[in-house]
């Protein structure tokens, strides 16, 4: 059986969802959106989001604190649940509001990529044509830690 894929998706892009479960990893959710799974321990904390959006911390500090959050037992259980889905051939769309970097989904994407899972990211090219990009070489994660 082939493994499922991880799609770093966002709520405004659901019309382009190709496959997989819709998995909420955001603090909020737009009205009317229904998801298949909610991974509340993978949400960034309200304080972490506030500090980052207000410019009180930079991306590198955000990453450090988010990695601490997802290193807790409850978060590890949810990461293991996602891995079980992927190992059983079920793809997942990790959903948030942010369409691109910086976003905690890319930290999660890097985590799953490092564990050998295929990760796809919705990207606009220079001609404003969008498509799912397969970053099998990990290039989309080169700036995740450094910003």
């Amino acid at each position: 059986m082939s493994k499922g894929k991880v799609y770093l998706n966002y709520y405004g892009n659901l019309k382009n969802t190709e496959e997989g479960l819709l998995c909420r990893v955001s603090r909020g959710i737009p009205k009317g959106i229904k998801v298949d799974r909610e991974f509340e321990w993978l949400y960034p904390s309200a304080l972490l989001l506030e500090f980052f959006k207000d410019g009180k911390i930079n991306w590198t500090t955000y990453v450090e604190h988010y990695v601490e959050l997802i290193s807790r037992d409850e978060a590890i259980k949810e990461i293991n649940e996602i891995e079980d889905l992927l190992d059983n051939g079920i793809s997942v769309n990790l959903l948030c509001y942010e369409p691109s970097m910086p976003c905690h989904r890319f930290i999660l994407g890097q985590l799953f990529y490092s564990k050998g899972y295929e990760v796809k990211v919705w990207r606009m090219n220079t001609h404003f044509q969008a498509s799912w990009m397969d970053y099998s070489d990990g290039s989309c994660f080169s700036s995740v830690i450094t910003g």
Side-chain angles (χ1 to χ4, degrees):
M1 169 181 292
S2 63
K3 291 182 179 181
K5 298 177 184 99
V6 176
Y7 291 91
L8 303 184
N9 206 343
Y10 59 101
Y11 296 116
N13 189 50
L14 291 180
K15 68 181 181 292
N16 294 307
T17 300
E18 292 182 354
E19 64 175 322
L21 298 176
L22 300 179
C23 300
R24 176 181 168 191
V25 294
S26 63
R27 295 206 60 76
I29 187 169
K31 193 174 189 173
I33 301 287
K34 298 203 182 330
V35 295
D36 301 303
R37 296 275 203 303
E38 295 192 22
F39 295 107
E40 66 183 278
W41 292 100
L42 302 181
Y43 305 169
S45 72
L47 192 60
L48 183 59
L49 280 174
E50 177 187 330
F51 278 21
F52 182 68
K53 287 181 179 182
D54 291 347
K56 294 177 182 174
I57 62 171
N58 62 21
W59 178 246
T60 302
T61 303
Y62 180 96
V63 170
E64 290 169 2
H65 287 283
Y66 184 72
V67 168
E68 282 179 30
L69 286 173
I70 64 172
S71 298
R72 295 179 178 166
D73 290 343
E74 298 89 348
I76 291 170
K77 287 178 189 172
E78 291 186 344
I79 290 166
N80 290 339
E81 184 179 340
I82 293 170
E83 287 182 31
D84 288 344
L85 292 167
L86 296 169
D87 290 342
N88 284 297
I90 300 168
S91 294
V92 297
N93 288 268
L94 301 181
L95 296 171
C96 184
Y97 286 94
E98 296 296 328
S100 59
M101 278 279 292
C103 178
H104 70 291
R105 284 171 303 138
F106 287 80
I107 302 168
L108 292 169
Q110 183 179 32
L111 171 72
F112 288 110
Y113 173 78
S114 72
K115 292 176 175 245
Y117 296 101
E118 183 177 352
V119 177
K120 292 186 172 259
V121 182
W122 186 257
R123 290 279 200 217
M124 295 288 274
N125 68 19
T126 55
H127 302 291
F128 298 101
Q129 297 170 321
S131 63
W132 287 106
M133 303 298 289
D134 177 9
Y135 287 92
S136 56
D137 63 353
S139 62
C140 72
F141 305 118
S142 61
S143 65
V144 169
I145 299 301
T146 58

